[in-house]
Amino acid sequence: MVIQIILLAGAILLLTVFVRQWDRVRTRAWKRLAFLAFVGANVYAIVRPQDTTWVAKQMGVGRGTDLILYLLVIGVAFITLNTYMRFRSMEKKITDLARTIAIRDAQVLNQDRISLLNDTMRVSSAAAQAPTPEVEHAHSPGS
Amino acid sequence: MHDVSTAWIVIPVFNEDRVIAQVVEETAAVFPNIVCVDDGSSDNTEEQIYGSKAHLIKHPINLGQGAALQTGIAYALAQPGMKYVITFDADGQHRVEDAINMLEIAAAGDLDVVLGSRFLNANTGIPWIKRVVLRTAAALSPTSRKLKLTDAHNGLRVMNRKAASMLQITMNGMAHASEIVAFLARSGLRIQEAPVTVRYTDYSKAKGQSLINGVNILFDISIRQRGM
């Protein structure tokens, strides 16, 4: 049937195009055009419902309602994928932001903390815990 | 022995207040430079790290183990004199002896990366179900096969400065282990596995990832490999 080929091709196209070229300007433009076409088709189907059945018949689908259902399935798949991608890219931005903050704070925090710790360690370590004999002390840390 | 003061231990920590202080103490007996990345824990992990000898980095929100590793590595790279990064799990499953051994191997063989493997030793005490799953994961992954790895999901790794600065972990969650292997396969770095023993305590077993989480990992990886 024609409809099966069209629907399958649509699904494959969506997967490849939107996963491969996600967020490129051109892809975004096509997404918007697709949205406009979607709204246009919507209006048309509301005004002349019998026409959707005619289109469906041409494609080998029984009723216009079924055709719209099939198209919706592809639409939902696309939206799911699109949302997933968007979340991924947002997550990346948040991660970069949080990492920058965390490292900046840590540098300030640890500068004081570690030098203090090292001082107390030097006093106690001489007596108490002798580190593993092979450990070299050529470079002392935190210099 | 290789100079341990040029090595930085990176420990991603999430809700491990029962064991983290002890893990840091054991590690600090040998390695002077330790950085713990508290990944937005809700328990007393932060206080425990604060009271230890480790450098403390605090993620303002929970981001996942992969993100915590990347943060710790970025911090270590900024430290003067740093030559090696050693990634280490917070739950006490890794042994400090293994880390020293791997550092030796990396330094002696002039290798870029040394990965810990549970399966190079004959007797390891790994629960059999875990053994089957991990071996299957290593065998199925094309990148693991390319590198001839026996254990793709071991948290104990030694990387030199070059490898550490090339690594960009984008998988915040648990898929980062596969991501690291995929990166290594592409990188052309000199890589070797070294035998390690994993201590399967009741605590680390309870903390370890459930096998069903493998489904999530596979999904994340497959989406990413399609060109993200």
mmCIF file of all heavy atoms in Angstrom, chain B residues 155-201:
data_model
loop_
_atom_site.group_PDB
_atom_site.id
_atom_site.type_symbol
_atom_site.label_atom_id
_atom_site.label_comp_id
_atom_site.label_asym_id
_atom_site.label_seq_id
_atom_site.Cartn_x
_atom_site.Cartn_y
_atom_site.Cartn_z
ATOM 1 N N GLY B 155 35.646 1.079 37.581
ATOM 2 C CA GLY B 155 35.830 2.488 37.938
ATOM 3 C C GLY B 155 37.273 2.881 38.210
ATOM 4 O O GLY B 155 37.583 4.047 38.362
ATOM 5 N N LEU B 156 38.166 1.889 38.273
ATOM 6 C CA LEU B 156 39.565 2.186 38.562
ATOM 7 C C LEU B 156 40.339 2.348 37.260
ATOM 8 O O LEU B 156 40.477 1.411 36.485
ATOM 9 C CB LEU B 156 40.163 1.054 39.411
ATOM 10 C CG LEU B 156 41.554 1.260 40.007
ATOM 11 C CD1 LEU B 156 41.661 2.578 40.746
ATOM 12 C CD2 LEU B 156 41.904 0.117 40.944
ATOM 13 N N ARG B 157 40.799 3.592 37.011
ATOM 14 C CA ARG B 157 41.518 3.883 35.771
ATOM 15 C C ARG B 157 42.672 4.832 36.065
ATOM 16 O O ARG B 157 42.539 5.710 36.912
ATOM 17 C CB ARG B 157 40.608 4.598 34.761
ATOM 18 C CG ARG B 157 39.281 3.928 34.492
ATOM 19 C CD ARG B 157 38.452 4.800 33.550
ATOM 20 N NE ARG B 157 37.097 4.292 33.437
ATOM 21 C CZ ARG B 157 36.112 4.620 34.247
ATOM 22 N NH1 ARG B 157 36.316 5.474 35.234
ATOM 23 N NH2 ARG B 157 34.903 4.101 34.086
ATOM 24 N N VAL B 158 43.757 4.659 35.349
ATOM 25 C CA VAL B 158 44.858 5.614 35.442
ATOM 26 C C VAL B 158 45.011 6.274 34.074
ATOM 27 O O VAL B 158 45.046 5.588 33.060
ATOM 28 C CB VAL B 158 46.178 4.916 35.841
ATOM 29 C CG1 VAL B 158 47.338 5.903 35.788
ATOM 30 C CG2 VAL B 158 46.060 4.301 37.220
ATOM 31 N N MET B 159 45.038 7.594 34.070
ATOM 32 C CA MET B 159 45.216 8.321 32.808
ATOM 33 C C MET B 159 46.343 9.318 32.975
ATOM 34 O O MET B 159 46.438 9.963 34.026
ATOM 35 C CB MET B 159 43.952 9.100 32.459
ATOM 36 C CG MET B 159 42.837 8.270 31.862
ATOM 37 S SD MET B 159 41.373 9.286 31.589
ATOM 38 C CE MET B 159 40.672 9.252 33.218
ATOM 39 N N ASN B 160 47.166 9.466 31.961
ATOM 40 C CA ASN B 160 48.165 10.517 32.056
ATOM 41 C C ASN B 160 47.548 11.847 31.632
ATOM 42 O O ASN B 160 46.374 11.909 31.243
ATOM 43 C CB ASN B 160 49.427 10.176 31.251
ATOM 44 C CG ASN B 160 49.174 10.170 29.756
ATOM 45 O OD1 ASN B 160 48.078 10.488 29.300
ATOM 46 N ND2 ASN B 160 50.175 9.792 28.990
ATOM 47 N N ARG B 161 48.331 12.888 31.733
ATOM 48 C CA ARG B 161 47.815 14.217 31.484
ATOM 49 C C ARG B 161 47.198 14.346 30.088
ATOM 50 O O ARG B 161 46.144 14.934 29.886
ATOM 51 C CB ARG B 161 48.961 15.218 31.645
ATOM 52 C CG ARG B 161 48.463 16.610 31.764
ATOM 53 C CD ARG B 161 49.524 17.639 31.951
ATOM 54 N NE ARG B 161 48.788 18.869 32.021
ATOM 55 C CZ ARG B 161 48.338 19.391 33.149
ATOM 56 N NH1 ARG B 161 48.604 18.835 34.287
ATOM 57 N NH2 ARG B 161 47.600 20.489 33.142
ATOM 58 N N LYS B 162 47.899 13.749 29.120
ATOM 59 C CA LYS B 162 47.435 13.830 27.730
ATOM 60 C C LYS B 162 46.044 13.213 27.579
ATOM 61 O O LYS B 162 45.128 13.832 27.030
ATOM 62 C CB LYS B 162 48.437 13.086 26.844
ATOM 63 C CG LYS B 162 48.109 13.104 25.376
ATOM 64 C CD LYS B 162 49.185 12.318 24.619
ATOM 65 C CE LYS B 162 48.739 11.987 23.205
ATOM 66 N NZ LYS B 162 49.545 10.897 22.645
ATOM 67 N N ALA B 163 45.886 11.992 28.096
ATOM 68 C CA ALA B 163 44.603 11.299 27.977
ATOM 69 C C ALA B 163 43.514 12.044 28.739
ATOM 70 O O ALA B 163 42.394 12.214 28.248
ATOM 71 C CB ALA B 163 44.724 9.870 28.493
ATOM 72 N N ALA B 164 43.857 12.522 29.948
ATOM 73 C CA ALA B 164 42.859 13.196 30.780
ATOM 74 C C ALA B 164 42.370 14.483 30.136
ATOM 75 O O ALA B 164 41.190 14.823 30.221
ATOM 76 C CB ALA B 164 43.445 13.487 32.159
ATOM 77 N N SER B 165 43.275 15.193 29.464
ATOM 78 C CA SER B 165 42.821 16.460 28.878
ATOM 79 C C SER B 165 42.065 16.233 27.570
ATOM 80 O O SER B 165 41.299 17.095 27.141
ATOM 81 C CB SER B 165 43.995 17.417 28.671
ATOM 82 O OG SER B 165 45.076 16.752 28.088
ATOM 83 N N MET B 166 42.254 15.063 26.956
ATOM 84 C CA MET B 166 41.488 14.765 25.741
ATOM 85 C C MET B 166 40.063 14.302 26.058
ATOM 86 O O MET B 166 39.152 14.456 25.257
ATOM 87 C CB MET B 166 42.177 13.655 24.935
ATOM 88 C CG MET B 166 43.320 14.145 24.064
ATOM 89 S SD MET B 166 44.301 12.752 23.475
ATOM 90 C CE MET B 166 43.193 12.030 22.270
ATOM 91 N N LEU B 167 39.916 13.707 27.233
ATOM 92 C CA LEU B 167 38.629 13.097 27.582
ATOM 93 C C LEU B 167 37.549 14.150 27.837
ATOM 94 O O LEU B 167 37.765 15.107 28.564
ATOM 95 C CB LEU B 167 38.803 12.234 28.839
ATOM 96 C CG LEU B 167 37.567 11.500 29.350
ATOM 97 C CD1 LEU B 167 37.113 10.457 28.350
ATOM 98 C CD2 LEU B 167 37.834 10.860 30.694
ATOM 99 N N GLN B 168 36.422 13.990 27.176
ATOM 100 C CA GLN B 168 35.271 14.869 27.415
ATOM 101 C C GLN B 168 34.055 13.998 27.703
ATOM 102 O O GLN B 168 33.423 13.517 26.784
ATOM 103 C CB GLN B 168 34.967 15.719 26.179
ATOM 104 C CG GLN B 168 36.032 16.742 25.822
ATOM 105 C CD GLN B 168 36.037 17.900 26.781
ATOM 106 O OE1 GLN B 168 35.036 18.170 27.441
ATOM 107 N NE2 GLN B 168 37.162 18.584 26.896
ATOM 108 N N ILE B 169 33.734 13.798 28.961
ATOM 109 C CA ILE B 169 32.579 12.965 29.292
ATOM 110 C C ILE B 169 31.312 13.796 29.136
ATOM 111 O O ILE B 169 31.149 14.819 29.790
ATOM 112 C CB ILE B 169 32.675 12.421 30.729
ATOM 113 C CG1 ILE B 169 33.975 11.654 30.917
ATOM 114 C CG2 ILE B 169 31.476 11.533 31.051
ATOM 115 C CD1 ILE B 169 34.240 11.225 32.340
ATOM 116 N N THR B 170 30.441 13.377 28.235
ATOM 117 C CA THR B 170 29.180 14.107 28.069
ATOM 118 C C THR B 170 28.014 13.338 28.654
ATOM 119 O O THR B 170 26.934 13.887 28.832
ATOM 120 C CB THR B 170 28.887 14.378 26.583
ATOM 121 O OG1 THR B 170 28.795 13.112 25.918
ATOM 122 C CG2 THR B 170 29.972 15.202 25.929
ATOM 123 N N MET B 171 28.224 12.045 28.907
ATOM 124 C CA MET B 171 27.176 11.229 29.510
ATOM 125 C C MET B 171 27.199 11.444 31.013
ATOM 126 O O MET B 171 28.085 10.950 31.704
ATOM 127 C CB MET B 171 27.434 9.747 29.214
ATOM 128 C CG MET B 171 27.244 9.390 27.782
ATOM 129 S SD MET B 171 25.507 9.555 27.404
ATOM 130 C CE MET B 171 25.516 9.236 25.688
ATOM 131 N N ASN B 172 26.233 12.208 31.510
ATOM 132 C CA ASN B 172 26.263 12.522 32.925
ATOM 133 C C ASN B 172 26.005 11.311 33.804
ATOM 134 O O ASN B 172 26.508 11.205 34.897
ATOM 135 C CB ASN B 172 25.226 13.602 33.238
ATOM 136 C CG ASN B 172 25.708 14.971 32.819
ATOM 137 O OD1 ASN B 172 26.829 15.108 32.352
ATOM 138 N ND2 ASN B 172 24.872 15.965 33.010
ATOM 139 N N GLY B 173 25.163 10.415 33.317
ATOM 140 C CA GLY B 173 24.757 9.277 34.145
ATOM 141 C C GLY B 173 25.761 8.147 34.082
ATOM 142 O O GLY B 173 26.957 8.358 33.955
ATOM 143 N N MET B 174 25.264 6.925 34.166
ATOM 144 C CA MET B 174 26.147 5.780 34.267
ATOM 145 C C MET B 174 26.699 5.333 32.915
ATOM 146 O O MET B 174 27.543 4.458 32.857
ATOM 147 C CB MET B 174 25.413 4.605 34.928
ATOM 148 C CG MET B 174 25.022 4.842 36.369
ATOM 149 S SD MET B 174 26.398 5.409 37.405
ATOM 150 C CE MET B 174 27.475 3.993 37.298
ATOM 151 N N ALA B 175 26.195 5.903 31.826
ATOM 152 C CA ALA B 175 26.679 5.494 30.506
ATOM 153 C C ALA B 175 28.097 5.984 30.245
ATOM 154 O O ALA B 175 28.687 5.642 29.232
ATOM 155 C CB ALA B 175 25.745 6.004 29.419
ATOM 156 N N HIS B 176 28.653 6.772 31.171
ATOM 157 C CA HIS B 176 29.981 7.335 30.920
ATOM 158 C C HIS B 176 31.050 6.257 30.778
ATOM 159 O O HIS B 176 32.035 6.462 30.087
ATOM 160 C CB HIS B 176 30.363 8.305 32.028
ATOM 161 C CG HIS B 176 30.610 7.634 33.339
ATOM 162 N ND1 HIS B 176 29.611 7.392 34.234
ATOM 163 C CD2 HIS B 176 31.727 7.104 33.866
ATOM 164 C CE1 HIS B 176 30.111 6.761 35.270
ATOM 165 N NE2 HIS B 176 31.397 6.563 35.077
ATOM 166 N N ALA B 177 30.864 5.111 31.444
ATOM 167 C CA ALA B 177 31.884 4.057 31.354
ATOM 168 C C ALA B 177 32.029 3.586 29.908
ATOM 169 O O ALA B 177 33.140 3.479 29.387
ATOM 170 C CB ALA B 177 31.531 2.889 32.268
ATOM 171 N N SER B 178 30.895 3.353 29.248
ATOM 172 C CA SER B 178 30.941 2.960 27.839
ATOM 173 C C SER B 178 31.466 4.103 26.985
ATOM 174 O O SER B 178 32.168 3.887 25.997
ATOM 175 C CB SER B 178 29.544 2.584 27.352
ATOM 176 O OG SER B 178 28.888 1.788 28.290
ATOM 177 N N GLU B 179 31.102 5.325 27.376
ATOM 178 C CA GLU B 179 31.555 6.480 26.610
ATOM 179 C C GLU B 179 33.076 6.601 26.666
ATOM 180 O O GLU B 179 33.725 6.910 25.658
ATOM 181 C CB GLU B 179 30.903 7.754 27.153
ATOM 182 C CG GLU B 179 31.167 8.955 26.277
ATOM 183 C CD GLU B 179 30.684 10.264 26.901
ATOM 184 O OE1 GLU B 179 30.347 10.277 28.082
ATOM 185 O OE2 GLU B 179 30.664 11.250 26.163
ATOM 186 N N ILE B 180 33.636 6.351 27.838
ATOM 187 C CA ILE B 180 35.090 6.435 27.986
ATOM 188 C C ILE B 180 35.769 5.396 27.097
ATOM 189 O O ILE B 180 36.744 5.700 26.408
ATOM 190 C CB ILE B 180 35.497 6.253 29.470
ATOM 191 C CG1 ILE B 180 35.029 7.460 30.288
ATOM 192 C CG2 ILE B 180 37.002 6.070 29.599
ATOM 193 C CD1 ILE B 180 35.214 7.320 31.775
ATOM 194 N N VAL B 181 35.213 4.182 27.102
ATOM 195 C CA VAL B 181 35.792 3.122 26.273
ATOM 196 C C VAL B 181 35.709 3.494 24.792
ATOM 197 O O VAL B 181 36.680 3.329 24.046
ATOM 198 C CB VAL B 181 35.083 1.776 26.544
ATOM 199 C CG1 VAL B 181 35.576 0.720 25.575
ATOM 200 C CG2 VAL B 181 35.322 1.321 27.966
ATOM 201 N N ALA B 182 34.563 4.044 24.394
ATOM 202 C CA ALA B 182 34.397 4.448 22.992
ATOM 203 C C ALA B 182 35.410 5.530 22.626
ATOM 204 O O ALA B 182 36.018 5.510 21.553
ATOM 205 C CB ALA B 182 32.974 4.956 22.759
ATOM 206 N N PHE B 183 35.605 6.466 23.559
ATOM 207 C CA PHE B 183 36.589 7.533 23.333
ATOM 208 C C PHE B 183 37.989 6.955 23.184
ATOM 209 O O PHE B 183 38.738 7.322 22.271
ATOM 210 C CB PHE B 183 36.540 8.530 24.501
ATOM 211 C CG PHE B 183 37.835 9.261 24.733
ATOM 212 C CD1 PHE B 183 38.216 10.289 23.889
ATOM 213 C CD2 PHE B 183 38.672 8.908 25.788
ATOM 214 C CE1 PHE B 183 39.408 10.955 24.089
ATOM 215 C CE2 PHE B 183 39.868 9.564 25.990
ATOM 216 C CZ PHE B 183 40.243 10.582 25.138
ATOM 217 N N LEU B 184 38.333 6.010 24.062
ATOM 218 C CA LEU B 184 39.679 5.422 24.022
ATOM 219 C C LEU B 184 39.918 4.680 22.721
ATOM 220 O O LEU B 184 41.002 4.739 22.151
ATOM 221 C CB LEU B 184 39.871 4.477 25.209
ATOM 222 C CG LEU B 184 39.892 5.145 26.588
ATOM 223 C CD1 LEU B 184 39.978 4.105 27.689
ATOM 224 C CD2 LEU B 184 41.045 6.125 26.698
ATOM 225 N N ALA B 185 38.852 4.012 22.234
ATOM 226 C CA ALA B 185 38.993 3.251 20.991
ATOM 227 C C ALA B 185 39.293 4.185 19.821
ATOM 228 O O ALA B 185 40.047 3.849 18.918
ATOM 229 C CB ALA B 185 37.723 2.452 20.732
ATOM 230 N N ARG B 186 38.693 5.376 19.848
ATOM 231 C CA ARG B 186 38.906 6.346 18.763
ATOM 232 C C ARG B 186 40.237 7.091 18.902
ATOM 233 O O ARG B 186 40.780 7.596 17.928
ATOM 234 C CB ARG B 186 37.776 7.388 18.802
ATOM 235 C CG ARG B 186 36.560 7.024 17.962
ATOM 236 C CD ARG B 186 35.533 8.145 18.027
ATOM 237 N NE ARG B 186 34.759 8.107 19.251
ATOM 238 C CZ ARG B 186 34.737 9.076 20.170
ATOM 239 N NH1 ARG B 186 35.433 10.169 20.005
ATOM 240 N NH2 ARG B 186 33.996 8.950 21.242
ATOM 241 N N SER B 187 40.713 7.199 20.155
ATOM 242 C CA SER B 187 41.762 8.178 20.454
ATOM 243 C C SER B 187 43.137 7.810 19.928
ATOM 244 O O SER B 187 43.954 8.689 19.692
ATOM 245 C CB SER B 187 41.869 8.343 21.969
ATOM 246 O OG SER B 187 42.339 7.132 22.532
ATOM 247 N N GLY B 188 43.416 6.514 19.769
ATOM 248 C CA GLY B 188 44.764 6.118 19.367
ATOM 249 C C GLY B 188 45.781 6.226 20.491
ATOM 250 O O GLY B 188 46.983 6.224 20.248
ATOM 251 N N LEU B 189 45.297 6.344 21.739
ATOM 252 C CA LEU B 189 46.201 6.401 22.884
ATOM 253 C C LEU B 189 46.724 4.999 23.202
ATOM 254 O O LEU B 189 46.125 4.004 22.802
ATOM 255 C CB LEU B 189 45.461 6.957 24.109
ATOM 256 C CG LEU B 189 45.003 8.398 24.016
ATOM 257 C CD1 LEU B 189 43.994 8.697 25.116
ATOM 258 C CD2 LEU B 189 46.173 9.347 24.124
ATOM 259 N N ARG B 190 47.841 4.951 23.929
ATOM 260 C CA ARG B 190 48.386 3.644 24.322
ATOM 261 C C ARG B 190 47.690 3.172 25.591
ATOM 262 O O ARG B 190 47.762 3.838 26.636
ATOM 263 C CB ARG B 190 49.892 3.754 24.537
ATOM 264 C CG ARG B 190 50.664 3.904 23.235
ATOM 265 C CD ARG B 190 51.980 4.596 23.463
ATOM 266 N NE ARG B 190 51.746 5.923 24.039
ATOM 267 C CZ ARG B 190 52.707 6.731 24.450
ATOM 268 N NH1 ARG B 190 53.951 6.348 24.373
ATOM 269 N NH2 ARG B 190 52.426 7.912 24.935
ATOM 270 N N ILE B 191 46.996 2.054 25.465
ATOM 271 C CA ILE B 191 46.114 1.592 26.527
ATOM 272 C C ILE B 191 46.456 0.166 26.927
ATOM 273 O O ILE B 191 46.811 -0.647 26.082
ATOM 274 C CB ILE B 191 44.648 1.647 26.045
ATOM 275 C CG1 ILE B 191 44.249 3.091 25.774
ATOM 276 C CG2 ILE B 191 43.704 1.034 27.073
ATOM 277 C CD1 ILE B 191 43.206 3.231 24.735
ATOM 278 N N GLN B 192 46.332 -0.109 28.214
ATOM 279 C CA GLN B 192 46.557 -1.471 28.690
ATOM 280 C C GLN B 192 45.632 -1.749 29.859
ATOM 281 O O GLN B 192 45.266 -0.840 30.596
ATOM 282 C CB GLN B 192 48.022 -1.611 29.124
ATOM 283 C CG GLN B 192 48.462 -3.044 29.332
ATOM 284 C CD GLN B 192 49.932 -3.107 29.684
ATOM 285 O OE1 GLN B 192 50.769 -2.494 29.015
ATOM 286 N NE2 GLN B 192 50.250 -3.829 30.745
ATOM 287 N N GLU B 193 45.262 -3.011 30.012
ATOM 288 C CA GLU B 193 44.482 -3.409 31.179
ATOM 289 C C GLU B 193 45.417 -3.973 32.238
ATOM 290 O O GLU B 193 46.459 -4.530 31.918
ATOM 291 C CB GLU B 193 43.454 -4.484 30.799
ATOM 292 C CG GLU B 193 42.111 -3.916 30.406
ATOM 293 C CD GLU B 193 41.057 -4.991 30.242
ATOM 294 O OE1 GLU B 193 41.428 -6.146 29.978
ATOM 295 O OE2 GLU B 193 39.875 -4.674 30.374
ATOM 296 N N ALA B 194 45.021 -3.807 33.483
ATOM 297 C CA ALA B 194 45.795 -4.392 34.577
ATOM 298 C C ALA B 194 44.833 -5.095 35.522
ATOM 299 O O ALA B 194 43.710 -4.622 35.725
ATOM 300 C CB ALA B 194 46.560 -3.299 35.314
ATOM 301 N N PRO B 195 45.239 -6.220 36.076
ATOM 302 C CA PRO B 195 44.340 -6.946 36.969
ATOM 303 C C PRO B 195 44.103 -6.179 38.270
ATOM 304 O O PRO B 195 45.040 -5.633 38.847
ATOM 305 C CB PRO B 195 45.077 -8.256 37.241
ATOM 306 C CG PRO B 195 46.505 -7.960 36.961
ATOM 307 C CD PRO B 195 46.536 -6.906 35.903
ATOM 308 N N VAL B 196 42.861 -6.125 38.696
ATOM 309 C CA VAL B 196 42.538 -5.543 39.994
ATOM 310 C C VAL B 196 41.576 -6.474 40.712
ATOM 311 O O VAL B 196 40.916 -7.297 40.082
ATOM 312 C CB VAL B 196 41.874 -4.145 39.874
ATOM 313 C CG1 VAL B 196 42.796 -3.177 39.164
ATOM 314 C CG2 VAL B 196 40.535 -4.226 39.164
ATOM 315 N N THR B 197 41.525 -6.334 42.007
ATOM 316 C CA THR B 197 40.575 -7.112 42.787
ATOM 317 C C THR B 197 39.524 -6.149 43.320
ATOM 318 O O THR B 197 39.852 -5.101 43.863
ATOM 319 C CB THR B 197 41.279 -7.816 43.955
ATOM 320 O OG1 THR B 197 42.298 -8.648 43.410
ATOM 321 C CG2 THR B 197 40.305 -8.656 44.750
ATOM 322 N N VAL B 198 38.271 -6.499 43.090
ATOM 323 C CA VAL B 198 37.193 -5.660 43.584
ATOM 324 C C VAL B 198 36.650 -6.269 44.863
ATOM 325 O O VAL B 198 36.380 -7.461 44.927
ATOM 326 C CB VAL B 198 36.081 -5.542 42.519
ATOM 327 C CG1 VAL B 198 34.847 -4.891 43.111
ATOM 328 C CG2 VAL B 198 36.575 -4.735 41.335
ATOM 329 N N ARG B 199 36.555 -5.435 45.887
ATOM 330 C CA ARG B 199 36.039 -5.928 47.173
ATOM 331 C C ARG B 199 34.524 -5.817 47.175
ATOM 332 O O ARG B 199 33.982 -4.718 47.290
ATOM 333 C CB ARG B 199 36.627 -5.122 48.321
ATOM 334 C CG ARG B 199 38.132 -5.311 48.449
ATOM 335 C CD ARG B 199 38.662 -4.596 49.651
ATOM 336 N NE ARG B 199 38.534 -3.146 49.507
ATOM 337 C CZ ARG B 199 39.255 -2.268 50.209
ATOM 338 N NH1 ARG B 199 40.092 -2.683 51.115
ATOM 339 N NH2 ARG B 199 39.100 -0.978 50.013
ATOM 340 N N TYR B 200 33.864 -6.950 47.014
ATOM 341 C CA TYR B 200 32.398 -6.922 47.038
ATOM 342 C C TYR B 200 31.910 -7.046 48.462
ATOM 343 O O TYR B 200 31.555 -8.112 48.930
ATOM 344 C CB TYR B 200 31.833 -8.038 46.162
ATOM 345 C CG TYR B 200 31.878 -7.696 44.709
ATOM 346 C CD1 TYR B 200 32.848 -8.232 43.868
ATOM 347 C CD2 TYR B 200 30.960 -6.800 44.169
ATOM 348 C CE1 TYR B 200 32.901 -7.891 42.538
ATOM 349 C CE2 TYR B 200 31.008 -6.457 42.837
ATOM 350 C CZ TYR B 200 31.984 -7.006 42.023
ATOM 351 O OH TYR B 200 32.035 -6.661 40.704
ATOM 352 N N THR B 201 31.900 -5.929 49.153
ATOM 353 C CA THR B 201 31.317 -5.927 50.484
ATOM 354 C C THR B 201 29.804 -5.844 50.350
ATOM 355 O O THR B 201 29.285 -5.538 49.287
ATOM 356 C CB THR B 201 31.810 -4.715 51.282
ATOM 357 O OG1 THR B 201 31.390 -3.540 50.565
ATOM 358 C CG2 THR B 201 33.317 -4.712 51.390
#
